[in-house]
Amino acid sequence: MWLLLAFLSAALLGFYDVFKKQSLKDNAVIPVLFLNTLFSSLIFLPFIVLSVWRPGILENSIFYVPVAGWEVHRYVVLKSVIVLSSWMLGYFGMKNLPITIVGPINATRPVMVLVGALVVFGERLNFYQWIGVLMAVFSFFMLSRSGKKEGIDFKHNKWIYYVVMAAVLGAVSGLYDKYLMAPADQGGIGLDRMIVQSWYNIYQLFMMGGILILLWWPKRKSTTPFHWHWCIILISIFLSAADFVYFYALSLDGAMISIVSMVRRGSVLVSFIFGAMVFREKNLKSKVVDLVLVLIGMIFLYLGSQ
């Protein structure tokens, strides 16, 4: 069951990337990101309110949000900072790079999670996992060669660094999720998944509100103008659904976060197909090779996690 949910989350994430790319086309990044946090917060706000004022309605459901104090919320605030930082970098990168470049880079996150687990949690990689890591590194090198054909120099293009840093922070967020969700006897703190997902959206909304008012609004006339696009709402809907399914999958017995994280990166298939068919991006043949290398690396990571 949890594996099927992981595949569903991957598909939803793929469409999230597509709608994000469409929303950012010739558009201001900060307002789009602010609206994403706003609509995501509005999706979960009813669950928070009902859980407080009418707890009997949701108490035994998967939508119930337990009441918690600052000793819990401080961890959620930190997650909000990590995720929002990743989003800020990722949104700017997505706006300025082809989705067929961004997708494969993001697909290397499971490798970063494994390396992070190696460093932070003292985990050891087996033979298959090392092959997966090396395949991911090699695919990144090949992707840089593909990028040069489109005038994108990985060494000197700041948007590439933005996307890479977004992926790194995304991996940090994944490791942090493991810490937040795991029970105390497994080294975690055992937070409720709905507390995390509901409230980190709320905190991000306030953070983005400050950024919007202090950084973007005073300079809005001298930067890329903002224009409304209905895909902005779809960003929030598909992201919220993908994360909800992801957290729910992790809450099921036997769920393995390493496998769930790897399967979720399969979202690159959806974004890559749309990049080819809808956005008409270039140099697809060499990028397909890069994508295949990433997917083969993910297969080896999966085999190594068995």
Side-chain angles (χ1 to χ4, degrees), residues 23-24 27-37 91 226 232 235:
S23 298
L24 292 170
N27 209 352
V29 171
I30 291 178
V32 172
L33 184 50
F34 169 76
L35 289 173
N36 175 25
T37 61
Y91 270 54
F226 169 74
I232 295 174
I235 293 175

Side-chain angles (χ1 to χ4, degrees), residues 137-197:
V137 173
F138 182 65
S139 68
F140 189 82
F141 169 74
M142 294 296 292
L143 193 63
S144 69
R145 292 170 61 91
S146 299
K148 284 184 178 180
K149 297 179 181 178
E150 298 182 49
I152 301 172
D153 188 342
F154 272 40
K155 292 182 179 179
H156 301 101
N157 189 300
K158 68 177 182 179
W159 306 120
I160 292 293
Y161 287 101
Y162 275 43
V163 174
V164 171
M165 282 304 301
V168 170
L169 288 172
V172 171
S173 178
L175 291 169
Y176 192 53
D177 285 342
K178 179 178 180 179
Y179 172 70
L180 293 179
M181 304 296 172
D185 59 355
Q186 296 180 20
I189 55 177
L191 294 191
D192 182 89
R193 59 182 178 80
M194 281 299 288
I195 290 179
V196 176
Q197 187 175 7

Side-chain angles (χ1 to χ4, degrees), residues 98-223:
I99 195 172
T100 47
I101 290 283
V102 176
I105 293 177
N106 282 332
T108 62
R109 285 189 189 185
V111 174
M112 300 179 190
V113 171
L114 275 179
V115 174
L118 180 71
V119 175
V120 178
F121 297 110
E123 297 181 4
R124 293 187 177 184
L125 304 185
N126 57 39
F127 178 70
Y128 287 119
Q129 288 172 328
W130 274 117
I131 292 178
V133 170
L134 294 176
M135 288 290 289
V137 173
F138 182 65
S139 68
F140 189 82
F141 169 74
M142 294 296 292
L143 193 63
S144 69
R145 292 170 61 91
S146 299
K148 284 184 178 180
K149 297 179 181 178
E150 298 182 49
I152 301 172
D153 188 342
F154 272 40
K155 292 182 179 179
H156 301 101
N157 189 300
K158 68 177 182 179
W159 306 120
I160 292 293
Y161 287 101
Y162 275 43
V163 174
V164 171
M165 282 304 301
V168 170
L169 288 172
V172 171
S173 178
L175 291 169
Y176 192 53
D177 285 342
K178 179 178 180 179
Y179 172 70
L180 293 179
M181 304 296 172
D185 59 355
Q186 296 180 20
I189 55 177
L191 294 191
D192 182 89
R193 59 182 178 80
M194 281 299 288
I195 290 179
V196 176
Q197 187 175 7
S198 299
W199 281 102
Y200 96 81
N201 280 305
I202 302 293
Y203 291 130
Q204 284 182 328
L205 173 62
F206 286 104
M207 293 174 190
M208 276 309 304
I211 293 172
L212 182 79
I213 294 171
L214 297 176
L215 299 182
W216 180 78
W217 187 260
K219 299 181 179 180
R220 67 191 185 282
K221 294 182 179 179
S222 60
T223 59

Side-chain angles (χ1 to χ4, degrees), residues 5 41 52 70 92 118 143 154 157 179 187 198 246 285 300:
L5 291 173
S41 298
V52 173
W70 173 244
F92 276 105
L118 180 71
L143 193 63
F154 272 40
N157 189 300
Y179 172 70
S198 299
Y246 162 67
K285 289 185 178 180
F300 275 103

Side-chain angles (χ1 to χ4, degrees), residues 28 31 39 46-47 83 91 117 151 201 220 233 249 264 270:
F39 293 132
F47 301 135
V83 173
Y91 270 54
N201 280 305
R220 67 191 185 282
I233 292 181
R264 266 168 59 94
V270 176

